[in-house]
Amino acid sequence: MGGRVLSVASECVPLVKTGGLADVVGALPAALAAVGWEMRVLLPCYRSLRSLVGGWPVVWEEADLWGGPGRVLSGEVAGVQVLLLDAPHLYDREGGPYSGPNGEHPDNAVRFAALSWTAARIAREGLDGWKPDVLHAHDWQAGLAPAYLAYHGSGGVKSVLTIHNIAFQGWAPAHMLGVLRLPGHAWHPEALEYYGGISTLKAGLVTADWITTVSPTYAAELMRPEFGMGLEGVIAARGASVSGILNGVDTAVWNPGAEDPPFDRKSLAGKAAARAGLCAEFGLEVPGPLAIVVSRLTDQKGIDLLPAVIPDFVLGGGGLIVLGSGDPGLEGAVRKLAARFPGRVGVRIGYDEAMSHRLFAGADVVLVPSRFEPCGLTQMYGLRYGTLPVVSLVGGLADTVIGASPATLAAGVATGVTFHPVDALGFGQALAQVLALHAQPKLWAKLRSNAMAHPVGWETSAAAYAGLYERLCA
Ligand code: ADP
């Protein structure tokens, strides 16, 4: 059937990105267009985007958007129809989307309420004759958009809220209720109230027509206290309207044939050269499997387990390159590993997209020992590049990797190595399995070809979102 969707988020590739959310928001419009759904993306006009909007027409205005005027400008970036909410008093600031030089912006609740308010108004009233059938809100930053539709009138528009990471919940004190244009009657535990205040994510969870998250396993996990981070009861109560849809990756961007040096996905010709280049770049000589980590360095990602498991992996012939930044303690811990094992462990602290491509092209395995992982992207890059994923069995990792076991090896379907529980013993056993598998070249080649045959593009996800929109609008 097809239709129109207004997507509202705080990040969108290639305009602004701090995490996987931006990749999804940026990739969905093209993927959905292929199945008949037209998606426009509403984003705040941060300082970094102001130079872009010079010639863009103003398509919507509001005189008082929490202390100043707001206007929406419409344009196209990299094939995506973008609506930028220009409200300089809220968004024209130094720093990233959420924080400036002095830390988090103290008025973030209002900054993203304004975004959500604008989304709800555009959805309800339409814009220059363009009226969406569905408003699709992402994470806590857009959580109030479904709430505004629910409490101020929906205009017949259906709402979907997608949880990319439950760890961020958008809390504001109770006295903000009126400021955020939310009704007093909704301030109770079954609606907006959350630990004595307001959570904008919870507001979306209780008011959206449908809730999705970015993998089926994470959808189930979120209803349990170990993963729900306080919201498990709210999500379980909405259980009949919750589903998981896996993210895809952009296969034009993550394309072995376009790497430097390129390698062939069928014959793997060129992958050895990529590995050699990588070892030269980091001054490594690794007789066994070369592992990589490309990640935020945080406890969520299980980085703290590396010092316990890497020494045995190195003694067994393996090597490791870590690219990432984050927790200073963890940055120090991986630096220490590199100092302890020169020639076997390399580290680059920082964010470097080009280097991440070289790492996936040249490595043998990618390690993703996350404690929780809503979907995860790097294991999918690994599948596509024949860089076998070694993952903990949580969230989207469990939904995208088939771990080598007697059963999956006999059936010829394994695509990587998996472990659970997420501790040093489990991770260490997984790395021992990597060493053992890597020592059997035929078996390794089979795992690689299985991994590379696993579809990781957006087609399946787009069809699932389209099916959801269609059911909601029917
Ligand atoms: P999360 O969104 O929780 O950080 P994901 O795996 O969903 O985790 O997405 C992380 C994205 O950021 C991936 O595209 C990954 O390659 C990229 N990334 C993370 N750290 C770095 C880094 N230091 N340099 C380059 N890319 C990185």
Side-chain angles (χ1 to χ4, degrees):
M1 114 187 187
R4 293 164 164 179
V5 187
L6 176 65
S7 175
V8 53
S10 58
E11 305 183 21
C12 176
V13 159
L15 294 172
V16 50
K17 166 170 171 171
T18 73
L21 161 71
D23 293 305
V24 180
V25 174
L28 269 179
L32 281 164
V35 287
W37 282 81
E38 183 197 350
M39 178 176 265
R40 296 189 184 182
V41 181
L42 176 70
L43 287 169
C45 187
Y46 303 111
R47 176 170 292 178
S48 59
L49 304 182
R50 294 190 68 78
S51 58
L52 206 96
V53 298
W56 288 19
V58 176
V59 291
W60 181 90
E61 285 180 285
E62 179 153 333
D64 180 18
L65 201 61
W66 279 275
R71 43 184 212 149
V72 171
L73 302 115
S74 169
E76 192 184 310
V77 179
V80 177
Q81 294 295 319
V82 177
L83 299 167
L84 281 179
L85 175 58
D86 181 32
H89 61 294
L90 299 174
Y91 308 125
D92 184 10
R93 298 181 187 180
E94 201 179 326
Y98 317 115
S99 49
N102 304 318
E104 241 175 53
H105 298 305
D107 57 346
N108 271 345
V110 161
R111 294 173 73 233
F112 293 104
L115 177 72
S116 303
W117 179 264
T118 306
R121 275 202 59 192
I122 291 174
R124 190 188 300 123
E125 297 161 22
L127 184 115
D128 272 354
W130 188 86
K131 179 142 174 23
D133 305 290
V134 176
L135 182 155
H136 191 154
H138 298 271
D139 271 350
W140 69 270
Q141 299 91 336
L144 288 180
Y148 290 138
L149 288 183
Y151 298 126
H152 295 267
S154 73
V157 175
K158 299 294 178 189
S159 58
V160 175
L161 176 72
T162 295
I163 306 166
H164 297 264
N165 190 339
I166 198 86
F168 306 102
Q169 304 181 346
W171 194 82
H175 70 80
M176 293 288 289
L177 194 71
V179 175
L180 296 178
R181 304 182 183 172
L182 294 165
H185 68 77
W187 202 71
H188 59 86
E190 271 72 55
L192 301 183
E193 191 272 336
Y194 192 58
Y195 289 103
I198 306 151
S199 151
T200 59
L201 184 63
K202 183 183 174 191
L205 292 174
V206 296
T207 53
D209 291 308
W210 197 270
I211 297 162
T212 73
T213 187
V214 288
S215 67
T217 294
Y218 195 56
E221 287 170 346
L222 283 176
M223 299 181 199
R224 302 209 304 255
E226 313 91 276
F227 294 96
M229 298 195 178
L231 288 168
E232 57 275 6
V234 178
I235 296 170
R238 299 276 341 252
S241 309
V242 178
S243 58
I245 299 176
L246 278 169
N247 292 333
V249 306
D250 187 333
T251 50
V253 172
W254 292 95
N255 178 11
E259 296 296 351
D260 181 20
F263 76 86
D264 186 82
R265 269 175 49 81
K266 282 215 175 77
S267 67
L268 289 186
K271 188 153 171 96
R275 189 186 192 279
L278 201 54
C279 286
E281 184 175 349
F282 281 87
L284 305 183
E285 248 179 75
V286 181
L290 174 61
I292 54 167
V293 170
V294 178
S295 178
R296 292 186 286 119
L297 302 181
T298 66
D299 280 348
Q300 177 201 331
K301 301 289 184 181
I303 303 302
D304 52 300
L305 301 173
L306 290 174
V309 299
I310 291 305
D312 278 350
F313 185 60
V314 167
L315 284 178
L320 172 71
I321 301 172
V322 178
L323 167 62
S325 64
D327 185 320
L330 295 174
E331 291 181 355
V334 293
R335 277 203 173 103
K336 238 188 201 163
L337 271 178
R340 183 170 161 199
F341 299 109
R344 285 296 193 84
V345 177
V347 169
R348 187 65 48 90
I349 300 298
Y351 190 95
D352 188 334
E353 200 105 19
M355 180 182 287
S356 76
H357 280 258
R358 292 198 294 282
L359 290 172
F360 284 101
D364 299 304
V365 293
V366 55
L367 311 181
V368 197
S370 303
R371 293 201 164 77
F372 68 93
E373 193 61 75
C375 178
L377 293 172
T378 57
Q379 84 280 15
M380 294 200 270
Y381 306 154
L383 289 170
R384 183 150 168 83
Y385 280 61
T387 301
L388 297 185
V390 179
V391 306
S392 52
L393 276 174
V394 296
L397 302 174
D399 292 335
T400 48
V401 180
I402 303 173
S405 73
T408 59
L409 289 173
V413 295
T415 59
V417 169
T418 60
F419 65 95
H420 201 266
V422 192
D423 55 22
L425 183 60
F427 192 12
Q429 286 168 339
L431 290 181
Q433 194 185 2
V434 168
L435 292 171
L437 291 167
H438 191 259
Q440 305 169 70
K442 258 197 175 151
L443 191 51
W444 191 264
K446 171 68 175 148
L447 288 169
R448 248 189 187 158
S449 71
N450 288 349
M452 297 183 86
H454 186 98
V456 294
W458 271 101
E459 296 78 8
T460 315
S461 325
Y465 280 111
L468 168 62
Y469 299 152
E470 273 156 33
R471 282 197 304 282
L472 284 175
C473 294

